[in-house]
Amino acid sequence: MDPDLDSRVLTLALARMVDALANSFLVVVLPLYIGQVVALPAFVGTDVSVASLQFTITPELLIGVVLSLFGFLNSFGQPFTGAFSDRSGKRKAFLLFGLALVAVGSAGYILLRDYVSILVMRALQGVGAAFTIPATVALVNEYSASDERGGNFGLYNTFRLLGFGTGPLVAGIVVSQGPYAVAGLDISGFDAAFLVAVVGAVVSFALVTALIADPEQTDAEAAEDISIQMRNPDGPGLDPVFALGIATIVMAFSLAVFAPLANVINDRLGQGEFLYSVQFGAAVLANVLFQYPLGQYSDRYGRRPFLLGGFVLLLPATLAQGFVGTAPVASLLSVVPVLDGSLLMVLLRFVQGIAIAAVFAPSLALAGDLAKEGQSGSTLSLLTMGFGLGIAFGTLFSGILVGFAFAVPFVVATVAGVGALCLVYTQVGETVDETAGIPAVSD
């Protein structure tokens, strides 16, 4: 670890890791909990007609509503909470309030066993995340010198992904090993998992309370004009941060289309759940390994080379996933006996993870470079919102598009990636100063 690393940035990264681990617990636990324990509404199983669309209300649909509600409230709430934190300058208060909401929601699952209450608790957590994320990235930005910003955002994302990646594994162990006897009480595996989520939020709360303070300039100089800019105020075209927000949606969409296709992929490649989990985790592992160094390199060599290179790498890595398991690919693999379809998918997911690492940390750093004094929350929230929306839309539309053909979700993501690459190339300038040998744009 870099000895010159700001301890406050490390504290925020650790707090975000613990919070992400606790939240990813719930992504695994809630579907099982709703299916096995929660009292579902009486209208489950009824047919519904909306215009010409007919569908049945199933438990799976209700589970999807709970999971997606968090993502949409979190994502759409971030520009507002980011702007409010800019006006007040009280980043720490917003962060602590959000963590408190997450803790309350996790505790509520233990006490409330009906579907509507579970829905309310998950909504509460989505609102809590909308408070914590913009405040956290704004603090990382305001604690960072311009030549350290990429590395600091890379470190933040590394720890966040470590928490998110390990949470599901730990959650599965905690639930499966229950019930537990604690102080003479029997605690189910589900309740134990919810308690772990509560503890995670409390630990994050304690770290922030003890070690984080609002930067002085945020207190004194919170900007009045915090409106979101779509057009570039300094020239033709789109505002570069707005363009990066759109590109971030596409990047996250490309990553997320893989997630809902577990059964289809396993059948297609003749593999089990373990290999799918390895493939899913390969992209997360690549992010963990490459976010920090690539963020640091963007401080030295500029943001644009990594943004453009990341999207160039993302396109073939995403497209090729849609054709693993086809006869032409199988014939190519026969040339390399040690590589089969399952291992090729692992490799492609790993390369895709490298591409996303090359894009995301430099994107946050570039947005931080351009953020005006007192506007870090509202500026950076465009990118964090974009990532959340991309994940939500990717998981939603992948399940629809795969009905046409297996390759279709990956082809659509790749076509969108071409558009994102063109958008970044034409609308986003460099912000690193000329000491790196790259001409910079002014704020």
Side-chain angles (χ1 to χ4, degrees):
M1 194 67 70
D2 189 341
D4 297 326
L5 184 67
D6 192 322
S7 61
R8 299 169 300 176
V9 174
L10 181 59
T11 298
L12 289 170
L14 287 170
R16 188 71 181 98
M17 180 187 72
V18 175
D19 181 47
L21 186 148
N23 182 61
S24 64
F25 252 63
L26 301 178
V27 174
V28 172
V29 173
L30 280 178
L32 299 174
Y33 185 64
I34 294 171
Q36 299 178 26
V37 178
V38 172
L40 297 178
F43 55 73
V44 171
T46 59
D47 295 326
V48 176
S49 179
V50 179
S52 59
L53 178 65
Q54 293 185 342
F55 60 92
T56 302
I57 298 177
T58 63
E60 290 73 23
L61 175 61
L62 296 184
I63 291 170
V65 170
V66 169
L67 296 180
S68 62
L69 181 63
F70 175 90
F72 284 116
L73 286 176
N74 172 20
S75 298
F76 286 118
Q78 286 185 41
F80 299 100
T81 57
F84 292 152
S85 75
D86 287 341
R87 283 197 181 279
S88 68
K90 304 296 184 182
R91 313 286 191 204
K92 182 176 178 179
F94 275 69
L95 180 50
L96 293 176
F97 179 70
L99 289 171
L101 290 181
V102 171
V104 169
S106 297
Y109 296 130
I110 301 173
L111 304 173
L112 305 169
R113 304 290 172 108
D114 63 282
Y115 179 77
V116 173
S117 296
I118 299 300
L119 196 65
V120 171
M121 291 301 103
R122 195 57 174 160
L124 193 67
Q125 291 184 311
V127 174
F131 275 85
T132 62
I133 294 173
T136 304
V137 295
L139 283 169
V140 172
N141 186 56
E142 289 160 355
Y143 287 155
S144 301
S146 59
D147 60 348
E148 299 173 343
R149 187 167 282 126
N152 284 345
F153 275 119
L155 181 77
Y156 166 79
N157 281 326
T158 295
F159 276 79
R160 177 180 66 85
L161 288 164
L162 273 174
F164 185 80
T166 57
L169 175 63
V170 179
I173 295 172
V174 170
V175 171
S176 64
Q177 296 300 310
Y180 303 89
V182 179
L185 298 174
D186 287 333
I187 300 177
S188 71
F190 289 119
D191 287 347
F194 297 141
L195 285 171
V196 170
V198 173
V199 170
V202 170
V203 170
S204 295
F205 190 99
L207 285 171
V208 172
T209 299
L211 301 173
I212 296 300
D214 290 316
E216 291 182 9
Q217 68 270 23
T218 308
D219 251 356
E221 301 178 26
E224 291 300 321
D225 181 12
I226 55 176
S227 59
I228 295 175
Q229 298 261 359
M230 294 180 62
R231 303 291 299 177
N232 189 343
D234 301 318
L238 296 176
D239 178 81
V241 178
F242 182 77
L244 281 175
I246 296 174
T248 301
I249 293 175
V250 174
M251 175 194 72
F253 184 98
S254 300
L255 176 66
V257 294
F258 187 86
L261 306 180
N263 294 327
V264 180
I265 290 171
N266 290 341
D267 290 343
R268 184 180 180 86
L269 300 181
Q271 63 183 27
E273 292 294 333
F274 174 74
L275 277 172
Y276 174 80
S277 67
V278 172
Q279 292 158 357
F280 184 88
V284 177
L285 176 62
N287 266 277
V288 168
L289 294 177
F290 288 93
Q291 282 268 351
Y292 184 50
L294 291 179
Q296 284 188 310
Y297 290 146
S298 79
D299 291 329
R300 181 176 180 182
Y301 299 109
R303 318 296 186 202
R304 266 175 63 89
F306 293 94
L307 294 175
L308 297 175
F311 271 109
V312 168
L313 187 61
L314 181 65
L315 299 180
T318 301
L319 181 64
Q321 291 176 43
F323 296 92
V324 175
T326 61
V329 172
S331 63
L332 288 174
L333 292 178
S334 64
V335 180
V336 187
V338 296
L339 192 63
D340 61 9
S342 295
L343 293 179
L344 176 61
M345 188 69 85
V346 172
L347 178 62
L348 291 173
R349 288 283 293 173
F350 191 83
V351 173
Q352 188 182 43
I354 296 174
I356 289 170
V359 172
F360 200 34
S363 292
L364 287 167
L366 191 148
D369 294 337
L370 294 176
K372 296 179 181 179
E373 188 71 32
Q375 294 190 25
S376 293
S378 54
T379 300
L380 291 168
S381 68
L382 286 179
L383 271 64
T384 55
M385 177 186 71
F387 190 85
L389 287 178
I391 295 294
F393 286 129
T395 54
L396 176 63
F397 284 105
S398 179
I400 298 172
L401 294 172
V402 76
F404 296 97
F406 177 77
V408 171
F410 302 97
V411 171
V412 170
T414 303
V415 171
V418 172
L421 174 61
C422 294
L423 192 65
V424 171
Y425 183 78
T426 59
Q427 305 297 314
V428 180
E430 185 57 72
T431 55
V432 173
D433 66 33
E434 296 185 11
T435 59
I438 303 169
V441 297
S442 59
D443 290 8

